[in-house]
Amino acid sequence: MLLGDGYIVEELRGLRFRISANSFFQTNTAQAEKLYALAAEAAELRSEDRLLDLFCGTGTIGLSMAKECKEVHGFELAESAVRDARKNAALNDIDNATFHLGDLASAMKDLDAALPHPDVVITDPNRPGMSNRLVKWIRRCGARRVVYVSCNPSTCARDLTLLCAPPVRPGEDAPPSEEELAALSNKARKRAEKDYDKSSKPQFQYRLEKVTPLDLFPHSHHVEAITVLTRVD
């Protein structure tokens, strides 16, 4: 027989967070305080900003920054974590945060329809990092700043390389030229036109401004990092 409430309550940055058994939460709460403080500093939020909190878990990052911006939108795969995030918003009397259930890696077919276009993005993926689709979406969304919180330096470096990469060639976001289409077979031509229809929105390039490592896992080789990217205009 299992007894108890089925959840624990932690306190971070002056807020209380309800955490269910299957919901992710930083185990080192003392260092998590520093982690979220650094993320908030990196975000440089303005009162009119819309903050997008990707892989939001129980809402800790977004809720801790809610008072600094106009609205927060969090996205998370785990249903129990989304429930906890909504309850945490109510627990702390925060009414400008909305949390959504969705698989950012693969299941969401239309990211443009699902995700609100933000002024600032906070992304805190698990060790595999972000999917290419999500990286491309962030490049299209035009956010002023992107704060990438990572627990895996190798996948973080991979994703940052893609976010900071310049266009492959001038006019990358333009449709294929007549000469290019003429050189393709009918099947390949239709595919090229279809692919352009799906990705015709212009992409922005980002510049890596700062990387701050933080030790949340003492006596291990693991390390968290807060990276700050700004849009290249």
Side-chain angles (χ1 to χ4, degrees):
M1 178 183 293
L2 297 176
L3 300 176
D5 295 326
Y7 62 88
I8 62 173
V9 176
E10 287 278 6
E11 293 192 13
L12 280 175
R13 301 197 75 206
L15 301 177
R16 300 175 70 222
F17 294 97
R18 167 180 163 150
I19 311 150
S20 299
N22 294 324
S23 300
F24 173 80
F25 194 83
Q26 295 287 357
T27 55
N28 187 338
T29 51
Q31 285 293 82
E33 285 267 3
K34 297 180 181 179
L35 176 71
Y36 298 148
L38 287 169
E41 179 182 338
E44 293 188 1
L45 287 167
R46 303 168 184 171
S47 59
E48 70 275 14
D49 280 346
R50 172 184 284 172
L51 172 64
L52 184 57
D53 183 9
L54 303 178
F55 309 93
C56 66
T58 56
T60 46
I61 293 181
L63 291 174
S64 69
M65 300 182 191
K67 66 181 180 181
E68 302 171 29
C69 61
K70 182 177 181 180
E71 57 187 70
V72 175
H73 290 270
F75 279 79
E76 170 60 42
L77 170 63
E79 187 174 356
S80 62
V82 173
R83 285 198 303 267
D84 285 345
R86 292 167 179 167
K87 290 175 180 177
N88 288 333
L91 183 64
N92 292 283
D93 296 320
I94 295 173
D95 59 7
N96 65 334
T98 306
F99 295 95
H100 312 267
L101 181 66
D103 184 356
L104 294 168
S106 59
M108 298 173 68
K109 294 182 180 179
D110 189 350
L111 291 175
D112 285 307
L115 300 180
H117 282 239
D119 301 290
V120 177
V121 172
I122 303 278
T123 182
D124 186 9
N126 52 15
R127 295 190 62 76
M130 299 192 296
S131 68
N132 283 342
R133 284 182 67 239
L134 184 56
V135 170
K136 290 178 181 177
W137 183 87
I138 291 175
R139 284 189 62 149
R140 291 200 309 270
C141 80
R144 183 179 73 251
R145 297 177 75 81
V146 176
V147 179
Y148 190 143
V149 180
S150 172
C151 60
N152 186 345
S154 61
T155 54
C156 180
R158 178 201 67 200
D159 293 344
L160 294 180
T161 299
L162 295 174
L163 286 166
C164 296
V168 174
R169 58 185 174 83
E172 179 187 36
D173 297 307
S177 68
E178 290 296 330
E179 293 78 10
E180 290 171 322
L181 288 175
L184 299 173
S185 66
N186 287 336
K187 185 176 180 180
R189 184 185 306 118
K190 290 179 180 179
R191 184 178 301 142
E193 291 171 340
K194 185 177 180 181
D195 288 344
Y196 171 69
D197 288 341
K198 289 182 177 179
S199 61
S200 58
K201 294 187 178 180
Q203 293 190 5
F204 293 89
Q205 179 185 352
Y206 285 87
R207 177 186 297 110
L208 180 61
E209 297 286 350
K210 187 177 182 181
V211 179
T212 305
L214 188 69
D215 188 5
L216 263 73
F217 317 102
H219 310 295
S220 79
H221 66 280
H222 297 290
V223 65
E224 290 271 332
I226 302 96
T227 63
V228 185
L229 300 101
T230 55
R231 189 182 66 213
V232 177
D233 292 320

